Amino acid sequence: MQQVVAPAAGPLEGTVRLPGDKSISHRYAMLAAAAEGVSKIGNYSSGADCHSTLRCVEALGARVEVADREVTIEGRGLEWAAPAGDLDAGNSGSTIRMLSGLLAGQSFTSRLIGDESLSRRPMQRIMTPLAQMGAVLSARDGKFPPIEITGGALRPVDYAMPVASAQVKSCVLFAGLFAEGVTTVREPAPTRDHTEVALREFGAEVERFADGVSVHGRAKLRARELTVPGDLSSAAFFLVAAAIVEGSNLILQGVGLNPTRATLIDFLMGMGVEVKILDLAMRNGEPVGDLLVRGSKLKGGVIEGKWAAALIDEIPVLAALGACSEQGLLVKDAGELRVKETDRIETVAANLRNMGAEVETFDDGFRVAGGQRLRGAQVDSCGDHRIAMACAVAALRADAPVTIENAEAASVSFPEFWDTLAQVRG
Ligand code: S3P
């Protein structure tokens, strides 16, 4: 599918409702399946990735009912049923990596597959710690999906992750639920902590310390009623859209503002974007609020070190912001971008260059020059949801319409994106 996005003819205005947070939806679904009793999850993500997770837990014996954005899951406790066939994670790295932790504790063998993009993404990062815990794993070429996991009795580990990854941290903590004793994960830079928060909500014992977290094994999880906050990473597209279109004024409702994610707000404010947080409240251990954002004069910025890990999903759209800022954007220490749904250093650079921007790439990042005049062009998401949406946002500042190929990819995390964009353009 193609989408043609015309330059903004006037300010963006209105109120935006976001899909439920993708990261939190995955975790709630997996933990509900591993809990005893019936959980109800409100505002579950409408994205295809989170529905891949639902299909997997259903294939593993959980009872799943979906009614619009409300999902009901009857869990099986920690003992799941052997699936009849392969478990399909689709495009979702979170599904394959986090679910692997729970499969490592089962007494059967399961095989996880994914689409073409997922089949190119590295899995050693989860295979190493799970093998240390006692699971038996194999993968294509030793590192890519499909991966096969034979679970069994697991022993606890104290694992220092070589890369800052919330998916790996979650995978090991989930496996730790099955081990006798305390499993610890240490991280080189802070990553999103939704797993820690959700584990506590479902009744597991979790301890945090400066550079890591521990979970007590043989936990009994209890079913819960929870509501997923709006997805801040989806909100990012509208925050940047409003920031780069003069005179814009948007309200984003019910957005998750967990401090491990809300670095985005600090970064935007540092770039000169006017963002206000209204009505902050706590829901199921997660802060939630409404955001007000206005078109602003933009300075420029640098993303490096621990900021790179904290902003990793937002970098594609921040590149568009950088091009429209005075001094541009420099991204370093973000080599992880190369192993996302696409190599996002290359896909961001290729698309912005097509639109006339000056972009320099490095092994671990890129530099987008500021003050760029973007032009109408044909660009390609390459099947990557965040690239499709970042291109649409950049197009608002182009001098002629931008045609985005493979625009349907947006539905991996934000199926309502195109309608929402049309709605705020009036
Ligand atoms: C996620 C963690 C990040 C992020 C992904 C979602 C999660 O991946 O990019 O979109 O929900 O834990 P990594 O763990 O690979 O950094």
Side-chain angles (χ1 to χ4, degrees):
M1 180 185 102
Q2 258 183 4
Q3 284 279 353
V4 179
V5 180
L12 308 182
E13 279 181 64
T15 300
V16 171
R17 189 178 166 209
L18 299 149
D21 186 89
K22 177 162 93 69
S23 292
I24 298 175
S25 297
H26 285 300
R27 286 155 172 84
Y28 284 178
M30 291 183 200
L31 289 173
E36 280 164 31
V38 178
S39 291
K40 280 197 188 305
I41 308 172
N43 199 35
Y44 192 83
S45 166
S46 49
D49 269 11
C50 295
H51 285 261
S52 294
T53 289
L54 290 180
R55 279 192 296 275
C56 287
V57 298
E58 198 169 28
L60 289 157
R63 292 249 306 266
V64 178
E65 265 170 47
V66 182
D68 192 19
R69 294 180 188 229
E70 176 143 329
V71 172
T72 306
I73 299 181
E74 185 176 348
R76 293 185 53 102
L78 290 179
E79 263 179 54
W80 288 355
D86 290 343
L87 297 165
D88 190 354
N91 190 242
S92 173
S94 302
T95 306
I96 199 164
R97 296 200 180 110
M98 299 201 292
L99 196 62
S100 293
L102 293 162
L103 293 171
Q106 307 299 327
S107 59
F108 49 80
T109 298
S110 28
R111 187 165 179 272
L112 290 135
I113 60 170
D115 69 5
E116 208 185 307
S117 149
L118 187 59
S119 300
R120 286 192 302 265
R121 297 181 64 188
M123 295 296 137
Q124 313 97 303
R125 51 184 65 192
I126 55 153
M127 294 172 72
T128 303
L130 293 179
Q132 275 177 28
M133 296 179 81
V136 177
L137 298 104
S138 63
R140 184 174 60 83
D141 292 340
K143 52 187 170 186
F144 300 118
I147 66 177
E148 204 169 270
I149 306 179
T150 302
L154 299 183
R155 42 185 181 270
V157 275
D158 185 331
Y159 185 68
M161 294 190 292
V163 284
S165 162
Q167 292 173 356
V168 176
K169 172 174 67 174
S170 307
C171 168
V172 178
L173 293 174
F174 284 174
L177 293 172
F178 297 83
E180 195 75 58
V182 177
T183 290
T184 298
V185 186
R186 297 174 199 275
E187 40 187 10
T191 65
R192 60 194 73 192
D193 68 357
H194 305 301
T195 293
E196 294 87 314
V197 173
L199 277 168
R200 279 195 180 144
E201 287 294 308
F202 279 88
E205 218 178 307
V206 174
E207 278 136 32
R208 301 168 188 246
F209 42 92
D211 66 340
V213 53
S214 295
V215 68
H216 291 246
R218 307 313 304 166
K220 200 170 159 147
L221 304 181
R222 50 170 192 269
R224 291 295 318 269
E225 286 199 11
L226 312 123
T227 305
V228 181
D231 196 324
L232 180 58
S233 299
S234 297
F237 298 100
F238 287 95
L239 290 169
V240 172
I244 63 176
V245 178
E246 213 186 321
S248 295
N249 200 331
L250 292 180
I251 289 185
L252 310 178
Q253 280 181 325
V255 185
L257 294 170
N258 179 307
T260 59
R261 301 276 295 284
T263 317
L264 172 66
I265 310 292
D266 299 331
F267 181 79
L268 290 172
M269 286 174 164
M271 289 277 284
V273 182
E274 195 186 327
V275 190
K276 282 199 183 115
I277 300 178
L278 317 166
D279 299 335
L280 195 64
M282 286 300 274
R283 228 161 46 195
N284 308 124
E286 295 280 356
V288 185
D290 292 348
L291 297 177
L292 173 71
V293 57
R294 291 208 175 99
S296 327
K297 193 163 154 42
L298 304 165
K299 299 174 201 162
V302 179
I303 299 176
E304 62 184 337
K306 62 180 187 185
W307 287 75
L311 294 171
I312 199 78
D313 287 345
E314 288 74 61
I315 289 174
V317 73
L318 292 176
L321 183 73
C324 302
S325 69
E326 253 171 38
Q327 289 125 33
L329 175 73
L330 172 64
V331 177
K332 296 195 292 185
D333 306 318
E336 277 293 295
L337 289 173
R338 293 205 179 272
V339 290
K340 294 294 178 190
E341 286 82 334
T342 55
D343 176 338
R344 287 184 176 159
I345 293 177
E346 298 306 328
T347 45
V348 163
N351 285 320
L352 281 178
R353 282 178 187 143
N354 257 342
M355 295 177 71
E358 193 186 311
V359 187
E360 186 189 351
T361 60
F362 328 113
D363 280 352
D364 67 342
F366 57 83
R367 183 200 302 274
V368 188
Q372 300 294 292
R373 290 179 56 121
L374 299 178
R375 57 173 188 242
Q378 183 154 1
V379 297
D380 194 343
S381 79
C382 300
D384 184 331
H385 55 131
R386 299 201 201 278
I387 299 296
M389 295 185 278
C391 287
V393 171
L396 296 171
R397 279 283 294 261
D399 62 5
V402 172
T403 302
I404 304 166
E405 301 290 346
N406 296 305
E408 72 287 348
S411 62
V412 157
S413 58
F414 197 169
E416 308 81 4
F417 175 79
W418 302 106
D419 288 347
T420 310
L421 184 62
Q423 172 214 316
V424 298
R425 298 182 69 150

